[in-house]
Amino acid sequence: MTDNQNGARTFATIGIVGAGNMARALATGWSTPILCTDNGSGRAAELAAETGGVAVATNAELGARADVIVLCHKPGQLAEVGRELDGTRAVVVSVLSGVTSTQLKAVYRRSRVVRVTVNLPVRVRAGIVSLPIGQSVDAEVESAVAELFGRVGAVVRLPEHHVDALIPLAGVGPALVAMFAQAQADAAVQAGLPAELALSLATETLRGTAALLADFEHDTRALRRAVASPGGPTERALAAARAQGLPQAVLAAAQAALPAR
């Protein structure tokens, strides 16, 4: 670890195990050359080419060369990858879905290991990153992890038993919002707008609404009241959405993503 220009502890060399969607999103968001490996798929070489990084031959080599290793492989490969990396000098950070800090420590007994959760908007540096409280690493490591992931999103600190509560919001939220945007665009197309323009404007509507909601201090009711004139099209649209069960459908969809208890 080194000090950055603001005096914060930071990692000089980033390694990533895995080259799937989340690995690509993080590498793109960090916008810095990374070291990466895969399980023989060849995707690490593609990711390295895209980011100006280097695909290395083995996880052991990754552990020897990187300052921090981010686990982006499949959760079912935890023990297999751990056998190759446990004891590495690098800090190990897991973004593996559903893998708890207790499970990580059971595999990485000789390493400094940290659990974080991230969502796909880290690709555009607008992600939500949770860094659970109370993990058994020193403050310097924790600070460096927070700095690294703070480059690609908002870092929130919360007890680990609350992490699953982020799934309906941050985890599946982008997919649900994308479905909503598609439905809005489809309605505009049916009204006569070209499809490409409709999708572009649906995206801009989401972007503007997010900024407006922040300006309204996250008061969703106040925003709806501001947009809806009595008897106007927005009021009619909201009434139709409620009649069709839109709020309940979104709630049910989000809750369906929660782990079975």
Side-chain angles (χ1 to χ4, degrees):
M1 287 182 285
T2 60
D3 293 325
N4 66 12
Q5 60 184 3
N6 297 318
R9 300 296 282 167
T10 187
F11 297 110
T13 306
I14 303 168
I16 300 179
V17 180
N21 290 338
M22 188 55 72
R24 181 167 277 100
L26 285 167
T28 300
W30 282 321
S31 190
T32 188
I34 51 94
L35 305 175
C36 55
T37 62
D38 59 35
N39 60 356
S41 67
R43 296 177 73 182
E46 297 173 8
L47 179 58
E50 290 174 11
T51 60
V54 177
V56 300
T58 66
N59 290 331
E61 181 182 354
L62 191 72
R65 295 177 60 177
D67 296 306
V68 60
I69 295 174
V70 183
L71 304 180
C72 292
H73 55 74
K74 294 178 180 178
Q77 297 172 316
L78 177 65
E80 175 188 350
V81 174
R83 283 192 291 271
E84 299 174 275
L85 285 176
D86 187 29
T88 178
R89 69 175 186 84
V91 173
V92 177
V93 179
S94 167
V95 301
L96 304 179
S97 177
V99 177
T100 67
S101 60
T102 299
Q103 291 170 316
L104 289 170
K105 290 169 190 172
V107 172
Y108 289 91
R109 296 177 180 275
R110 298 176 294 144
S111 297
R112 296 169 295 175
V113 61
V114 181
R115 181 194 185 187
V116 303
T117 67
V118 299
N119 64 348
L120 204 61
V122 294
R123 178 184 176 94
V124 291
R125 301 179 182 178
I128 294 177
V129 179
S130 76
L131 180 55
I133 296 167
Q135 300 191 65
S136 57
V137 291
D138 60 48
E140 183 178 70
V141 168
E142 195 168 81
S143 174
V145 171
E147 188 280 332
L148 177 65
F149 284 88
R151 301 180 205 171
V152 293
V155 177
V156 295
R157 306 300 308 277
L158 72 175
E160 188 165 9
H161 65 269
H162 284 161
V163 166
D164 283 350
L166 293 177
I167 295 174
L169 180 67
V172 304
L176 292 176
V177 171
M179 180 183 286
F180 181 82
Q182 183 66 62
Q184 281 193 308
D186 289 345
V189 169
Q190 290 178 17
L193 212 61
E196 186 174 346
L197 178 59
L199 283 167
S200 174
L201 293 180
T203 301
E204 291 307 311
T205 298
L206 293 177
R207 192 194 314 275
T209 302
L212 189 60
L213 188 55
D215 189 57
F216 273 70
E217 297 183 341
H218 318 297
D219 189 335
T220 61
R221 289 184 176 83
L223 192 154
R224 293 199 300 271
R225 287 195 299 268
V227 178
S229 300
T234 301
E235 192 172 81
R236 295 196 301 272
L238 291 172
R242 286 190 290 268
Q244 292 294 321
L246 177 61
Q248 293 83 0
V250 173
L251 179 62
Q255 289 179 333
L258 288 168
R261 296 187 182 277

